[in-house]
Amino acid sequence: MQAWAGFAQAGAVIYVATKGVDAFRLWRRQKIGERKLDTAENILDVAYRARLAFSHIRNPMMQGGALEVARKSLVADDPEWMARVPERLRQQAIYGRAVFDRIQLEAASLAQLIALMPKARAYFGAEVEKQLKILWRQRAAVWAAAEAYTRDTGSDPAFSELIRRNLWEGYVTGTGSVNEIDVAIADACGRLESVLGPILSETVDLVIKP
């Protein structure tokens, strides 16, 4: 009888231990699931904010106050160059500096793309990380376009058109022309939504619309 009691006690210990492990595994799965949901929502939120940031940066309309701030900055940096440069290039340089200022204003929103990349890859794989990288690279493309715009003399019309497509949202010329940055941003956001949207619960209404 004592032997059977010992077996029963051992069995009870094993049973309790097994149930404890199962409970821990269930708790762990729930926590990971919650983190994935939170991360998916954050990624879509950051992508949407980045899209708004690019719309602001690449808006062809520039307020006079912003242009005046840019002009004063250029004069402070190199007054001699501003005095001797041809009027067209001076105005383009002012506009380009104003675009740089916009990029700086949106720096925090765009930096979130980089901050989320490790979690994006860990939870959802290389494809989601790739789309965040694509969005981040558009910042460099717009910056390069703004720099090129300040020096563009118009001697190469095709290059001038490329600069303007990269610099301005919605800018296209000719039948069938494509604004490459517009397409890259829209495609990246769409791919993120297609992967992460189904992961979110039906109560989460966070959609990146074209």
Side-chain angles (χ1 to χ4, degrees), residues 2-180:
Q2 289 179 346
W4 282 110
F7 290 141
Q9 186 177 16
V13 171
I14 293 172
Y15 176 81
V16 171
T18 301
K19 287 299 181 181
V21 170
D22 290 344
F24 173 76
R25 288 174 177 170
L26 177 60
W27 173 84
R28 186 171 180 272
R29 285 198 298 269
Q30 289 175 339
K31 288 299 180 183
I32 292 174
E34 290 172 3
R35 290 173 185 169
K36 288 184 71 173
L37 286 173
D38 289 343
T39 302
E41 184 175 352
N42 286 339
I43 290 171
L44 289 178
D45 179 64
V46 165
Y48 179 71
R49 291 177 186 276
R51 189 167 189 169
L52 291 179
F54 282 121
S55 290
H56 172 226
I57 292 167
R58 301 176 66 229
N59 186 340
M61 301 298 294
M62 188 71 69
Q63 294 181 345
L67 292 173
E68 180 60 16
V69 169
R71 185 192 69 79
K72 289 180 178 179
S73 296
L74 288 171
V75 170
D77 290 345
D78 195 341
E80 294 183 2
W81 181 84
M82 283 292 286
R84 70 173 184 270
V85 70
E87 178 62 18
R88 174 181 172 179
L89 288 180
R90 179 163 53 247
Q91 294 303 318
Q92 289 179 192
I94 292 170
Y95 187 93
R97 173 60 69 91
V99 173
F100 296 151
D101 291 343
R102 281 180 173 178
I103 293 174
Q104 293 302 320
L105 285 172
E106 299 290 356
S109 294
L110 297 178
Q112 290 300 309
L113 294 167
I114 296 178
L116 277 174
M117 285 181 194
K119 283 187 176 181
R121 186 178 184 89
Y123 285 127
F124 307 112
E127 179 62 20
V128 172
E129 180 194 28
K130 175 184 175 182
Q131 302 311 318
L132 292 176
K133 285 182 178 179
I134 289 173
L135 288 173
W136 171 250
R137 287 174 189 150
Q138 305 318 305
R139 174 192 177 279
V142 177
W143 187 283
E147 283 191 333
Y149 185 72
T150 65
R151 301 187 300 272
D152 182 34
T153 62
S155 59
D156 184 344
F159 184 61
S160 296
E161 290 298 325
L162 175 61
I163 291 172
R164 285 155 178 77
R165 288 199 305 273
N166 287 353
L167 194 59
W168 296 325
E169 183 180 59
Y171 182 89
V172 292
T173 56
T175 303
S177 59
V178 174
N179 188 305
E180 295 88 342

